[in-house]
Amino acid sequence: MWKKISGLIFIALFINIEVQSQELITGRVVDANSAEPLPAAHIIIKGTYKGTIANEDGEFSLKVDELPATLIARFLGYESKEIVVMSADEPVDFLMEEAFLEMEEIIVTGEDPAISIMREVIRRKAIWRENLTTYQVDAYSRQQLLNDTSIVSISESVSQAFWDRERGSREVLKSRRQTANIEGSNNFAGVSYLPNFYDDNLDIVEFDLRGVTHPDALKYYNFELVDFSKIDEKVIFEIEVTPRRKLQPLFEGTIYVMDEEYAMISVRLKPNSVVVFPAPVQEFNMYYEQQFSNFGGDFWLPVDFRMEGLVEVGVPGLRFPPIGFKQVSKLNNYEVNIPLPDSLYEDYDWITIDSTTIDKSDSIFVATVDVVPLSNVEERAYGSLDSTATLEKAFKPKGFLVRFIDWEDEDNDNEASSNTSSSGTNTSSSGSSRTSNRNSLLRDEFRNFGIDVRYNRVDAVYAGLNHERRYADRRIRSRANIGYSTGYESLNHGANISWWPLPNTWRFSVSAGYSFTTDTRYNSDLFKKGLLSTMPLLGYEDYFDYYRNEGVFIAASFRPLRRSETFKFRYRLEEHSSINFKTSYDVLGSSFIQRPNPFIQEGTLSSFEIKMESGEGKEALGIIGADNIEITVEQSLTALGSDWNFTKFGIDVYRRYTTFYKRRFIPNAVDIRLNAGTFIGDLPVQKNGVMDASLGYFTPFGAFKSRRYVPYEGASYFSLHAEHNFRSVPLEALGWRNAAKLGLSIITFGGIGKTWIPKEQEEFFISSMGYLPPSPGNLYSEVGVSLSNIFSLIRVDLAYRIDEPGFYPGIALSRMF
């Protein structure tokens, strides 16, 4: 209790000290003739780096260390005004007079004057920027979310921002407050991620844009002098900015440059039409405004940052209300070229939280910090938005798909209703409680079961159940399965157990298990047998051959600390046997006859396998870019009881490399897949690999689009696939400006591959089946072109096979990213 009391005393003293040590000056900045407010007018304490900006109503508040204090108000197009404040008891109103500038009409006969102006701005910026190494500044930010009718939420933060020319930006969050309908953890107001429009390059919503004062800005922008204004007896050039390069993400809008100083003092810019997003984003409009001041010194530093925008999101049948966004930030009390603490840069977090101040009361927030006053509308929003005014309600979508989505948390409502009922009447008994517990246990156990259903020409209909359960704080996992193949009328079953023995980490595991199941005779690194059930069921040729596999395994998996690679070790002891059955049944009743299921080289396999894998994305079948590598080595020895001596090698690699227009949100990129394998020794036919084929007219990345239904197999094999995604750039170059917004992409692709079947396997195939499995013979090669993101869902491919000429159309899921 004493700790709590002493803490309250400390807070009270802290607030009291701050209030006594500073004077709060409030007031307005308005037009002297019309009394209209001048939003974002800049008010500074003369001779310091300290100041603030006015809100939408022209109101401001500013703390001064002592009185009297001299305040200066500036606004573009007006004469600056200076007032000596003797007392903080009365508001200080700045009545700003327009600054009239009389100049003769300028007739431009050669180079636009804005070109030479900007050339000098860029030259002078390079000089003073070279001398600016660090700064520290106090920051205040306020964000609004709006729908099409009102303010939905407000969040504010107070922080210290730091900038180092070599190490970048950091921010320490000191305090925050927000409307009652959002949590503090969802308050993202801050300044470290905001652009400084004096920077050479700016990150705008993941687009990399060249700034208007970039050393090469004259190569990327058109600058046109359109008007003049005046401030402090100095001419201000109003310059219109438009992109010179139509396919590059750049800015457009207006900048204001002060004559004599040749300094950019204000900008109003927005990204050009290249800065668009694919579905489900339907509309993206964002304006940025920023002012700069040298505070009487050498460096032109940001005074504020204002942003206003609108985003519309939706897909056919589901459309959200427009999401409005506004932010105002002010930067105050700069300290330049000072040593910054190394602790700020010990990790990669841009924003850290000062735990000693973040949880202080709202009164500290108000009493100790210069903030931009809330407007009248914002004041009302703070008073009216309570915890029930959730963002889900404010942005509830419309459309026929809404009925299929539960937007309300019915579970919580039911729980609340149940709690209310039980608190109102005490009718529950221990018997009903036990019944409820039993029902809960049954429900939990039921969730541990899964259904396994598939169809192929050997299993016919396979139906089974899977069961998974966790024990010992989830560090032990058991799995079991049982199912029945109606085709060759056999039961499949198996069980395994895994254990993660190391405390506080999941990087190491051991496992063991038994299985008796239908296995695929050749391995595909792209497709699994469950995915391919629809092909034979609809009367198309079955992708795989099959055999019976009964065996046990012992395995371990390990991922080194701070590494992405996982190493897996497995010993297997298996009995392989042929399945002499096949069916040609399909639900369409077609006359297609499935090929016989071939015999395998029966026997016992005893082998060790080592696998290294890293990365992710390959399982997405080309929908997203993958960065993945998997290397496998398997060793079988007769000395271990195996019927075969062989060493098998395999590699499967996916890589993405960006190529052109790297400053875009999604740059042009080339995706590559290399899949290869070979062996030493006497490899049985049930251990072969394949060049993957397309699933009929479904032509995903990694499969040959001109090879349908059945892959080419071999004891040795390789395939190389590459496709270059030009995104919408070719269509934009042809004049279709809306192509980027629609997300359309032009893709070119190609692939080569080959398989080899050793003589021993050839002899086995001919003696057991009377024919050889399909093989390309010479080098298989294809090229083609695709149009992707049609309806934000599919891509259409047209492949041309080079070694045996012919065109092959197909479709696949869109390559989204």
Side-chain angles (χ1 to χ4, degrees):
M1 176 61 72
W2 168 244
K3 288 184 177 179
K4 293 182 179 180
I5 294 172
S6 61
L8 291 173
I9 294 172
F10 171 78
I11 291 173
L13 289 173
F14 178 75
I15 295 172
N16 203 33
I17 290 170
E18 292 292 336
V19 171
Q20 290 175 1
S21 63
Q22 291 186 315
E23 297 285 350
L24 179 65
I25 300 173
T26 62
R28 295 183 77 216
V29 184
V30 299
D31 184 288
N33 295 319
S34 67
E36 288 292 319
L38 300 180
H42 187 207
I43 305 96
I44 64 170
I45 302 172
K46 187 176 181 179
T48 73
Y49 281 100
K50 191 171 184 181
T52 189
I53 60 173
N55 70 5
E56 295 177 3
D57 299 325
E59 299 169 340
F60 73 92
S61 64
L62 181 63
K63 291 185 177 65
V64 297
D65 293 332
E66 60 183 4
L67 293 173
T70 303
L71 302 188
I72 302 173
R74 293 193 177 103
F75 194 80
L76 193 61
Y78 287 77
E79 298 285 357
S80 296
K81 186 147 189 174
E82 186 174 305
I83 295 179
V84 178
V85 181
M86 305 300 296
S87 169
D89 294 336
E90 297 293 332
V92 177
D93 292 336
F94 287 91
L95 305 180
M96 308 292 285
E97 301 282 350
E98 284 192 70
F100 294 101
L101 180 66
E102 294 183 4
M103 295 188 67
E104 295 182 2
E105 182 180 0
I106 296 177
I107 300 175
V108 179
T109 58
E111 181 182 75
D112 193 290
I115 303 298
S116 59
I117 293 170
M118 290 307 300
R119 189 177 289 119
E120 184 65 12
V121 170
I122 294 168
R123 187 188 72 82
R124 295 197 183 193
K125 168 201 161 180
I127 295 172
W128 64 257
R129 265 292 179 104
E130 180 65 26
N131 297 321
L132 180 64
T133 57
T134 65
Y135 65 68
Q136 172 183 319
V137 63
D138 296 331
Y140 164 79
S141 291
R142 179 162 70 241
Q143 293 177 348
Q144 291 181 25
L145 277 181
L146 308 96
N147 59 17
D148 49 359
T149 60
S150 62
I151 294 176
V152 172
S153 71
I154 301 175
S155 54
E156 301 174 85
S157 76
V158 174
S159 59
Q160 275 190 312
F162 305 85
W163 177 83
D164 185 292
R165 187 168 63 198
E166 303 298 330
R167 296 182 290 181
S169 299
R170 291 293 187 270
E171 184 173 9
V172 178
L173 196 62
K174 295 290 187 179
S175 187
R176 60 191 175 196
R177 66 181 179 183
Q178 54 279 325
T179 47
N181 59 339
I182 58 175
E183 299 290 336
S185 58
N186 293 325
N187 181 337
F188 301 111
V191 296
S192 60
Y193 52 84
L194 299 180
N196 176 351
F197 281 91
Y198 252 119
D199 286 345
D200 291 342
N201 299 285
L202 296 94
D203 183 356
I204 303 292
V205 289
E206 298 300 322
F207 284 83
D208 185 11
L209 278 69
R210 278 185 171 86
V212 293
T213 60
H214 188 281
D216 295 326
L218 296 175
K219 297 179 181 178
Y220 288 88
Y221 291 100
N222 296 311
F223 296 101
E224 181 183 355
L225 182 62
V226 294
D227 205 352
F228 303 88
S229 56
K230 185 181 175 185
I231 189 170
D232 294 343
E233 302 301 324
K234 292 185 179 179
V235 174
I236 305 298
F237 302 115
E238 181 179 338
I239 298 174
E240 184 179 351
V241 181
T242 56
R244 294 187 67 179
R245 302 195 179 187
K246 304 304 181 184
L247 300 179
Q248 289 280 6
L250 296 166
F251 293 105
E252 59 189 19
T254 307
I255 62 175
Y256 298 88
V257 175
M258 180 179 287
D259 192 13
E260 299 180 17
E261 298 282 352
Y262 287 97
M264 189 169 64
I265 64 168
S266 181
V267 305
R268 177 173 170 79
L269 297 170
K270 71 172 185 175
N272 65 352
S273 60
V274 175
V275 180
V276 295
F277 298 89
V281 177
Q282 303 294 327
E283 193 70 40
F284 175 82
N285 286 308
M286 201 71 71
Y287 277 92
Y288 304 94
E289 295 183 87
Q290 194 167 44
Q291 300 179 93
F292 303 89
S293 175
N294 65 350
F295 299 93
D298 299 324
F299 308 114
W300 290 88
L301 302 170
V303 169
D304 64 358
F305 176 83
R306 286 157 288 141
M307 175 169 57
E308 185 171 346
L310 188 72
V311 179
E312 294 188 30
V313 179
V315 296
L318 190 70
R319 194 169 186 88
F320 291 84
I323 302 171
F325 184 85
K326 292 178 70 173
Q327 174 157 344
V328 57
S329 299
K330 72 145 193 169
L331 302 163
N332 175 50
N333 204 20
Y334 277 95
E335 297 179 62
V336 299
N337 291 341
I338 61 172
L340 299 183
D342 291 335
S343 58
L344 290 169
Y345 296 91
E346 288 178 352
D347 55 40
Y348 294 101
D349 292 333
W350 282 15
I351 301 178
T352 56
I353 294 176
D354 187 340
S355 59
T356 65
T357 63
I358 195 66
D359 293 325
K360 295 292 188 292
S361 67
D362 193 57
S363 59
I364 293 180
F365 187 100
V366 174
T368 63
V369 178
D370 281 326
V371 301
V372 178
L374 296 171
S375 67
N376 293 331
V377 175
E378 291 168 326
E379 289 277 11
R380 289 194 295 271
Y382 255 112
S384 62
L385 291 172
D386 59 20
S387 60
T388 64
T390 63
L391 302 187
E392 290 79 3
K393 290 180 181 178
F395 296 108
K396 189 172 182 179
K398 297 179 180 179
F400 68 89
L401 291 178
V402 172
R403 70 188 69 180
F404 302 107
I405 304 174
D406 182 12
W407 297 98
E408 301 295 335
D409 193 351
E410 294 181 356
D411 291 339
N412 288 344
D413 292 343
N414 293 338
E415 182 180 353
S417 175
S418 174
N419 290 341
T420 302
S421 175
S422 61
S423 63
T425 58
N426 187 17
T427 59
S428 62
S429 65
S430 59
S432 63
S433 177
R434 287 193 297 270
T435 301
S436 175
N437 290 338
R438 284 196 300 269
N439 292 337
S440 177
L441 290 173
L442 287 173
R443 284 195 301 270
D444 291 342
E445 190 61 34
F446 183 76
R447 294 192 187 101
N448 294 328
F449 284 92
I451 298 174
D452 185 8
V453 179
R454 63 176 182 264
Y455 181 85
N456 57 60
R457 75 184 192 282
V458 172
D459 283 316
V461 175
Y462 173 86
L465 286 176
N466 300 325
H467 180 270
E468 179 179 317
R469 192 164 188 179
R470 295 273 188 165
Y471 312 88
D473 197 24
R474 299 183 62 81
R475 290 193 167 273
I476 297 176
R477 181 189 67 198
S478 66
R479 287 176 171 173
N481 66 276
I482 187 169
Y484 186 73
S485 297
T486 62
Y488 65 98
E489 299 180 345
S490 292
L491 195 68
N492 292 359
H493 53 278
N496 63 72
I497 189 167
S498 300
W499 177 37
W500 287 263
L502 299 182
N504 304 319
T505 182
W506 298 87
R507 295 184 297 107
F508 175 72
S509 68
V510 293
S511 57
Y514 162 82
S515 67
F516 193 16
T517 188
T518 308
D519 209 346
T520 57
R521 186 179 62 78
Y522 40 75
N523 177 64
S524 167
D525 290 316
L526 187 64
F527 300 123
K528 304 305 176 186
K529 60 177 180 279
L531 176 66
L532 308 179
S533 294
T534 56
M535 292 179 61
L537 190 61
L538 297 177
Y540 297 105
E541 196 163 5
D542 201 345
Y543 194 86
F544 287 112
D545 296 331
Y546 306 91
Y547 71 99
R548 193 75 164 154
N549 185 347
E550 181 179 19
V552 296
F553 74 88
I554 301 173
S557 175
F558 174 68
R559 180 175 58 83
L561 187 64
R562 297 187 180 88
R563 300 290 298 179
S564 61
E565 299 87 358
T566 298
F567 296 90
K568 297 181 178 181
F569 309 88
R570 177 182 290 252
Y571 170 74
R572 54 169 60 93
L573 179 63
E574 300 172 347
E575 282 293 328
H576 298 175
S577 57
S578 300
I579 302 175
N580 187 19
F581 176 84
K582 67 99 177 177
T583 179
S584 296
Y585 172 81
D586 65 78
V587 295
L588 301 179
S590 70
S591 58
F592 179 76
I593 303 299
Q594 296 282 355
R595 69 187 184 276
N597 188 54
F599 293 99
I600 65 162
Q601 292 171 276
E602 297 182 335
T604 300
L605 174 68
S606 178
S607 70
F608 287 97
E609 180 183 271
I610 301 175
K611 179 184 292 187
M612 186 279 288
E613 59 185 21
S614 175
E616 59 185 4
K618 75 171 189 176
E619 63 281 350
L621 297 179
I623 298 175
I624 61 174
D627 189 1
N628 188 281
I629 181 170
E630 183 178 294
I631 300 174
T632 306
V633 179
E634 183 179 0
Q635 177 68 62
S636 172
L637 295 170
T638 55
L640 298 175
S642 182
D643 287 330
W644 303 283
N645 272 317
F646 68 80
T647 306
K648 182 183 177 185
F649 307 92
I651 185 170
D652 193 26
V653 178
Y654 288 79
R655 281 290 182 267
R656 162 169 285 188
Y657 302 96
T658 56
T659 54
F660 313 119
Y661 297 94
K662 296 182 180 181
R663 290 176 175 266
R664 290 192 172 209
F665 174 63
I666 308 178
N668 289 189
V670 60
D671 290 276
I672 296 173
R673 183 200 183 200
L674 171 65
N675 182 250
T678 190
F679 73 101
I680 301 171
D682 52 332
L683 190 75
V685 297
Q686 61 268 28
K687 299 296 288 184
N688 283 355
V690 296
M691 288 170 42
D692 280 299
S694 296
L695 307 181
Y697 287 91
F698 178 62
T699 53
F701 176 68
F704 284 94
K705 300 177 188 295
S706 56
R707 173 65 183 172
R708 304 293 169 85
Y709 302 115
V710 181
Y712 291 130
E713 72 165 281
S716 296
Y717 59 93
F718 97 94
S719 60
L720 176 63
H721 300 267
E723 63 179 40
H724 189 277
N725 194 336
F726 291 94
R727 309 296 176 188
S728 59
V729 172
L731 301 174
E732 292 176 59
L734 293 173
W736 191 357
R737 294 298 177 192
N738 206 37
K741 185 176 177 180
L742 294 174
L744 296 175
S745 296
I746 298 294
I747 299 172
T748 57
F749 60 83
I752 56 174
K754 186 172 174 55
T755 62
W756 294 266
I757 297 177
K759 183 177 180 180
E760 295 79 6
Q761 287 194 3
E762 287 184 354
E763 293 174 350
F764 173 80
F765 280 125
I766 291 186
S767 63
S768 61
M769 299 190 305
Y771 63 89
L772 292 175
S775 177
N778 297 321
L779 186 69
Y780 190 102
S781 55
E782 67 176 19
V783 294
V785 64
S786 305
L787 178 62
S788 186
N789 292 66
I790 301 172
F791 307 119
S792 304
L793 182 63
I794 63 172
R795 61 181 277 182
V796 176
D797 301 320
L798 181 62
Y800 176 76
R801 183 169 174 180
I802 298 174
D803 57 312
E804 293 183 10
F807 287 96
Y808 298 84
I811 62 171
L813 296 176
S814 293
R815 184 174 281 282
M816 302 299 296
F817 300 105

